[in-house]
Amino acid sequence: AGKTYKNTLTFNTRGSDVPVDVQESDIFVATYATNLNILDKTLLNTRENASIKTESFTVLESLTSEKVTVTAPDNPIDLNGDNKEIFYTVTVPKGKTGDYEFELALPDSLSLPEGELCYDAENGQILCGEKAVADLKLPEEAAFQEGSLEAKNSGFTFTVNVTEKPTLFGLSLENSIEITLTVDGGNLVRSNEVIPQGTPVTLQVTHEGSSYWGAATVYAGKPTLPGDG
């Protein structure tokens, strides 16, 4: 009875289309006889009774190239609530190495607290004076660029450098890496006691001229005082 043998090949376009031309001569077919008593294998023939069909094709870069993504919370963040954290995840596909500029943009109703803006590398925190306004979690393949942190548009900007981590035989096994930025909304300064629903806090990430962004929304109602209904 006939039997079909198959395997899977994976192609990485790495920025351009990849033509694939597999010829019949590229495929080795052999038949062996196995003596189970002595565990010996004897070559009987090659290609006899084997049907091989090949077809050339092109792997399109536009179909395989993944994009950087920035995700933000789906639900609005209540700055008077118990959980005031604004959580962003930046996913960088394998192979997209280089510098990534992060920019957190705050609305007019919010600003950074007073104090020197600095990065605490030991704890992965962005500080304004003694207050931590954000936590930055970096994988092994990413490093904070020293001296890149600065205030901008009521928020701040900084740069992360992403490299490809070599593993077995110099190959990286991960399809992507994740960088997380968690902003502490409770440590931001409000210019208004009430912040309307839908007020955006946006994280934009720029790499090689392309920008990706995710927007969370925050709000704050008038605080309820003891004795109020």
Side-chain angles (χ1 to χ4, degrees):
K3 188 173 183 179
T4 300
Y5 296 89
K6 63 181 180 179
N7 204 342
T8 300
L9 300 178
T10 302
F11 299 90
N12 190 331
T13 58
R14 292 191 177 276
S16 61
D17 295 346
V18 176
V20 179
D21 185 15
V22 180
Q23 303 295 323
E24 182 177 341
S25 58
D26 296 326
I27 303 174
F28 177 77
V29 180
T31 304
Y32 292 86
T34 302
N35 186 328
L36 298 179
N37 294 324
I38 60 176
L39 299 179
D40 184 30
K41 292 184 177 180
T42 303
L43 178 64
L44 294 182
N45 58 63
T46 60
R47 295 186 177 274
E48 185 175 323
N49 299 323
S51 175
I52 302 174
K53 182 179 180 181
T54 63
E55 184 175 339
S56 301
F57 58 93
T58 299
V59 182
L60 299 179
E61 190 273 340
S62 60
L63 298 180
T64 60
S65 178
E66 296 184 62
K67 293 183 178 180
V68 177
T69 60
V70 182
T71 57
D74 293 327
N75 297 322
I77 307 298
D78 182 1
L79 296 181
N80 286 335
D82 294 330
N83 185 5
K84 305 176 182 64
E85 291 185 340
I86 308 170
F87 188 84
Y88 300 93
T89 301
V90 179
T91 303
V92 178
K94 176 183 176 181
K96 286 190 175 292
T97 58
D99 290 339
Y100 287 77
E101 182 182 344
F102 287 59
E103 181 181 344
L104 182 76
L106 299 178
D108 294 339
S109 52
L110 294 172
S111 61
L112 299 176
E114 292 185 0
E116 181 184 3
L117 184 64
C118 64
Y119 177 64
D120 179 358
E122 183 177 352
N123 297 307
Q125 292 184 321
I126 295 174
L127 306 172
C128 280
E130 297 182 354
K131 289 187 176 181
V133 293
D135 290 321
L136 179 64
K137 185 177 181 181
L138 299 173
E140 291 183 49
E141 299 90 339
F144 186 91
Q145 184 173 307
E146 186 177 353
S148 65
L149 178 64
E150 59 182 32
K152 184 177 180 180
N153 297 333
S154 298
F156 53 80
T157 181
F158 60 89
T159 300
V160 171
N161 181 262
V162 174
T163 58
E164 192 162 340
K165 177 184 176 184
T167 56
L168 187 63
F169 304 118
L171 300 175
S172 177
L173 302 179
E174 296 85 358
N175 290 325
S176 61
I177 65 169
E178 288 189 349
I179 300 170
T180 60
L181 182 72
T182 305
V183 179
D184 188 345
N187 280 339
L188 299 177
V189 178
R190 305 184 204 175
S191 60
N192 300 308
E193 185 177 344
V194 177
I195 298 176
Q197 289 269 6
T199 299
V201 177
T202 303
L203 178 65
Q204 178 175 289
V205 178
T206 302
H207 172 64
E208 295 183 345
S210 297
S211 295
Y212 315 88
W213 58 275
T217 59
V218 300
Y219 69 97
K222 185 177 180 180
T224 300
L225 301 176
D228 287 352

